Amino acid sequence: MEYESVEALIREEQLASKGNFINRINIEDYLDKIRSKAEFLTYYVKGECKGFVAFYCNDPFKKNAFITLVLVSPRLRGQGISKVLLSGVLSFCKLREFKNCSLEVQKNNFSAMKVYRNLGFEIVEEDEEKYIMKVALN
């Protein structure tokens, strides 16, 4: 996987959302962080990255994986790609014997929350803008 194709998708989404896709942190800092610390499961069509999940499954002491970003190209949304990618990430985390996987989701992102709930994620915490959701990996 070429990281550049993942970054291009993020930048396209950031532009399309007028800077609101990655908005709580400087986008360059975020891109540097995921480039250096995250793992990626990607979805390619005809050699072009059309979706991915960025996640952290690298703390063997906590045994809690964290999904930091799920993104599918707008033209391919609604086809179940994110569910397939997320299922793959959860399987990967189970193979590494992680016990839980969590993520953050904006409260107004109803389509994402539906996918997460269908995969067994439950809300464990919330603030004014977002939910923290978690699923057990046993």
Short mmCIF file of all heavy atoms in Angstrom, two decimals, residues 55-81:
data_model
loop_
_atom_site.label_atom_id
_atom_site.label_comp_id
_atom_site.label_asym_id
_atom_site.label_seq_id
_atom_site.Cartn_x
_atom_site.Cartn_y
_atom_site.Cartn_z
N PHE A 55 -5.91 2.37 11.89
CA PHE A 55 -6.14 1.89 13.25
C PHE A 55 -4.82 1.68 13.97
O PHE A 55 -3.76 1.56 13.35
CB PHE A 55 -6.97 0.61 13.24
CG PHE A 55 -6.30 -0.56 12.56
CD1 PHE A 55 -5.72 -1.56 13.31
CD2 PHE A 55 -6.27 -0.66 11.18
CE1 PHE A 55 -5.10 -2.65 12.69
CE2 PHE A 55 -5.66 -1.74 10.55
CZ PHE A 55 -5.07 -2.73 11.31
N TYR A 56 -4.93 1.63 15.29
CA TYR A 56 -3.78 1.36 16.14
C TYR A 56 -4.04 0.04 16.86
O TYR A 56 -5.02 -0.11 17.57
CB TYR A 56 -3.59 2.47 17.18
CG TYR A 56 -3.45 3.84 16.57
CD1 TYR A 56 -4.49 4.76 16.64
CD2 TYR A 56 -2.29 4.21 15.91
CE1 TYR A 56 -4.37 6.02 16.07
CE2 TYR A 56 -2.17 5.47 15.34
CZ TYR A 56 -3.20 6.37 15.43
OH TYR A 56 -3.08 7.61 14.86
N CYS A 57 -3.17 -0.89 16.63
CA CYS A 57 -3.26 -2.21 17.26
C CYS A 57 -1.84 -2.55 17.71
O CYS A 57 -1.25 -3.53 17.27
CB CYS A 57 -3.79 -3.23 16.24
SG CYS A 57 -4.11 -4.86 16.90
N ASN A 58 -1.29 -1.67 18.54
CA ASN A 58 0.13 -1.75 18.81
C ASN A 58 0.50 -1.63 20.28
O ASN A 58 1.65 -1.39 20.61
CB ASN A 58 0.86 -0.66 18.02
CG ASN A 58 0.26 0.71 18.24
OD1 ASN A 58 -0.53 0.92 19.13
ND2 ASN A 58 0.63 1.66 17.39
N ASP A 59 -0.47 -1.79 21.17
CA ASP A 59 -0.17 -1.75 22.59
C ASP A 59 -0.55 -3.09 23.22
O ASP A 59 -1.67 -3.28 23.68
CB ASP A 59 -0.93 -0.61 23.28
CG ASP A 59 -0.48 -0.39 24.71
OD1 ASP A 59 0.14 -1.31 25.30
OD2 ASP A 59 -0.73 0.69 25.24
N PRO A 60 0.41 -4.02 23.25
CA PRO A 60 0.10 -5.36 23.75
C PRO A 60 -0.23 -5.40 25.24
O PRO A 60 -0.78 -6.39 25.72
CB PRO A 60 1.37 -6.15 23.44
CG PRO A 60 2.44 -5.14 23.34
CD PRO A 60 1.79 -3.89 22.83
N PHE A 61 0.05 -4.34 25.97
CA PHE A 61 -0.24 -4.33 27.41
C PHE A 61 -1.68 -3.95 27.68
O PHE A 61 -2.34 -4.55 28.52
CB PHE A 61 0.73 -3.39 28.13
CG PHE A 61 2.16 -3.82 27.98
CD1 PHE A 61 3.01 -3.11 27.16
CD2 PHE A 61 2.64 -4.96 28.61
CE1 PHE A 61 4.33 -3.50 26.99
CE2 PHE A 61 3.94 -5.37 28.45
CZ PHE A 61 4.80 -4.65 27.64
N LYS A 62 -2.19 -2.96 26.96
CA LYS A 62 -3.58 -2.54 27.15
C LYS A 62 -4.56 -3.49 26.47
O LYS A 62 -5.70 -3.61 26.86
CB LYS A 62 -3.80 -1.13 26.63
CG LYS A 62 -3.16 -0.06 27.48
CD LYS A 62 -3.51 1.31 26.94
CE LYS A 62 -2.88 2.40 27.78
NZ LYS A 62 -3.18 3.74 27.23
N LYS A 63 -4.13 -4.11 25.37
CA LYS A 63 -4.99 -5.02 24.60
C LYS A 63 -6.25 -4.33 24.08
O LYS A 63 -7.29 -4.94 23.93
CB LYS A 63 -5.36 -6.25 25.41
CG LYS A 63 -4.19 -7.15 25.76
CD LYS A 63 -3.67 -7.84 24.54
CE LYS A 63 -2.58 -8.83 24.91
NZ LYS A 63 -1.98 -9.43 23.75
N ASN A 64 -6.17 -3.00 23.86
CA ASN A 64 -7.29 -2.26 23.31
C ASN A 64 -6.84 -1.59 22.01
O ASN A 64 -5.99 -0.72 22.02
CB ASN A 64 -7.79 -1.19 24.28
CG ASN A 64 -9.05 -0.51 23.77
OD1 ASN A 64 -10.05 -1.17 23.52
ND2 ASN A 64 -9.00 0.80 23.61
N ALA A 65 -7.42 -2.03 20.91
CA ALA A 65 -7.14 -1.42 19.61
C ALA A 65 -8.01 -0.17 19.47
O ALA A 65 -9.04 -0.04 20.14
CB ALA A 65 -7.43 -2.40 18.50
N PHE A 66 -7.60 0.72 18.59
CA PHE A 66 -8.36 1.95 18.38
C PHE A 66 -8.42 2.25 16.89
O PHE A 66 -7.39 2.31 16.22
CB PHE A 66 -7.71 3.14 19.11
CG PHE A 66 -8.51 4.40 19.01
CD1 PHE A 66 -9.62 4.60 19.81
CD2 PHE A 66 -8.15 5.38 18.09
CE1 PHE A 66 -10.37 5.77 19.70
CE2 PHE A 66 -8.89 6.55 17.98
CZ PHE A 66 -10.00 6.74 18.78
N ILE A 67 -9.63 2.45 16.38
CA ILE A 67 -9.84 2.83 14.99
C ILE A 67 -9.89 4.35 14.95
O ILE A 67 -10.75 4.96 15.57
CB ILE A 67 -11.14 2.21 14.43
CG1 ILE A 67 -10.99 0.69 14.40
CG2 ILE A 67 -11.47 2.79 13.06
CD1 ILE A 67 -12.26 -0.05 14.10
N THR A 68 -8.95 4.94 14.22
CA THR A 68 -8.86 6.40 14.20
C THR A 68 -9.56 7.03 13.00
O THR A 68 -10.00 8.16 13.08
CB THR A 68 -7.39 6.87 14.27
OG1 THR A 68 -7.38 8.29 14.41
CG2 THR A 68 -6.59 6.45 13.06
N LEU A 69 -9.70 6.27 11.89
CA LEU A 69 -10.32 6.87 10.72
C LEU A 69 -10.84 5.79 9.77
O LEU A 69 -10.15 4.81 9.49
CB LEU A 69 -9.31 7.75 9.98
CG LEU A 69 -9.81 8.59 8.81
CD1 LEU A 69 -10.92 9.53 9.24
CD2 LEU A 69 -8.66 9.38 8.21
N VAL A 70 -12.06 5.99 9.31
CA VAL A 70 -12.67 5.15 8.28
C VAL A 70 -13.08 6.10 7.17
O VAL A 70 -13.78 7.08 7.41
CB VAL A 70 -13.92 4.42 8.82
CG1 VAL A 70 -14.55 3.56 7.72
CG2 VAL A 70 -13.60 3.61 10.06
N LEU A 71 -12.66 5.80 5.95
CA LEU A 71 -12.99 6.68 4.83
C LEU A 71 -13.16 5.87 3.56
O LEU A 71 -12.30 5.05 3.22
CB LEU A 71 -11.89 7.73 4.64
CG LEU A 71 -12.10 8.76 3.53
CD1 LEU A 71 -13.39 9.55 3.73
CD2 LEU A 71 -10.90 9.71 3.46
N VAL A 72 -14.28 6.09 2.88
CA VAL A 72 -14.56 5.47 1.59
C VAL A 72 -14.87 6.60 0.62
O VAL A 72 -15.56 7.57 0.97
CB VAL A 72 -15.75 4.48 1.69
CG1 VAL A 72 -16.15 3.96 0.32
CG2 VAL A 72 -15.41 3.33 2.63
N SER A 73 -14.38 6.47 -0.59
CA SER A 73 -14.63 7.46 -1.64
C SER A 73 -16.13 7.72 -1.76
O SER A 73 -16.92 6.78 -1.76
CB SER A 73 -14.07 6.94 -2.96
OG SER A 73 -14.37 7.82 -4.01
N PRO A 74 -16.53 8.98 -1.89
CA PRO A 74 -17.97 9.31 -1.95
C PRO A 74 -18.75 8.51 -3.00
O PRO A 74 -19.89 8.13 -2.77
CB PRO A 74 -17.98 10.80 -2.27
CG PRO A 74 -16.69 11.32 -1.75
CD PRO A 74 -15.70 10.18 -1.94
N ARG A 75 -18.14 8.24 -4.13
CA ARG A 75 -18.84 7.52 -5.21
C ARG A 75 -19.13 6.06 -4.85
O ARG A 75 -19.95 5.42 -5.49
CB ARG A 75 -18.03 7.59 -6.50
CG ARG A 75 -17.92 8.99 -7.07
CD ARG A 75 -17.15 9.02 -8.38
NE ARG A 75 -15.85 8.37 -8.30
CZ ARG A 75 -14.71 8.97 -7.93
NH1 ARG A 75 -14.71 10.24 -7.62
NH2 ARG A 75 -13.58 8.30 -7.90
N LEU A 76 -18.43 5.52 -3.83
CA LEU A 76 -18.61 4.11 -3.48
C LEU A 76 -19.30 3.91 -2.14
O LEU A 76 -19.46 2.77 -1.70
CB LEU A 76 -17.24 3.41 -3.45
CG LEU A 76 -16.49 3.39 -4.79
CD1 LEU A 76 -15.14 2.74 -4.63
CD2 LEU A 76 -17.31 2.67 -5.86
N ARG A 77 -19.73 4.97 -1.51
CA ARG A 77 -20.40 4.85 -0.22
C ARG A 77 -21.75 4.17 -0.37
O ARG A 77 -22.38 4.23 -1.40
CB ARG A 77 -20.55 6.23 0.43
CG ARG A 77 -19.22 6.78 0.85
CD ARG A 77 -19.30 8.15 1.46
NE ARG A 77 -17.93 8.64 1.68
CZ ARG A 77 -17.61 9.89 1.86
NH1 ARG A 77 -18.54 10.82 1.87
NH2 ARG A 77 -16.36 10.24 2.04
N GLY A 78 -22.15 3.50 0.70
CA GLY A 78 -23.45 2.81 0.70
C GLY A 78 -23.40 1.43 0.09
O GLY A 78 -24.43 0.79 -0.08
N GLN A 79 -22.20 0.92 -0.21
CA GLN A 79 -22.06 -0.39 -0.83
C GLN A 79 -21.53 -1.44 0.14
O GLN A 79 -21.22 -2.56 -0.25
CB GLN A 79 -21.15 -0.31 -2.05
CG GLN A 79 -21.70 0.58 -3.14
CD GLN A 79 -20.78 0.65 -4.34
OE1 GLN A 79 -19.99 -0.26 -4.60
NE2 GLN A 79 -20.87 1.73 -5.08
N GLY A 80 -21.35 -1.07 1.40
CA GLY A 80 -20.89 -2.03 2.40
C GLY A 80 -19.38 -2.15 2.51
O GLY A 80 -18.88 -3.02 3.20
N ILE A 81 -18.66 -1.28 1.84
CA ILE A 81 -17.19 -1.34 1.85
C ILE A 81 -16.63 -1.07 3.25
O ILE A 81 -15.74 -1.78 3.71
CB ILE A 81 -16.59 -0.37 0.82
CG1 ILE A 81 -17.00 -0.82 -0.59
CG2 ILE A 81 -15.07 -0.28 0.96
CD1 ILE A 81 -16.76 0.21 -1.68
#
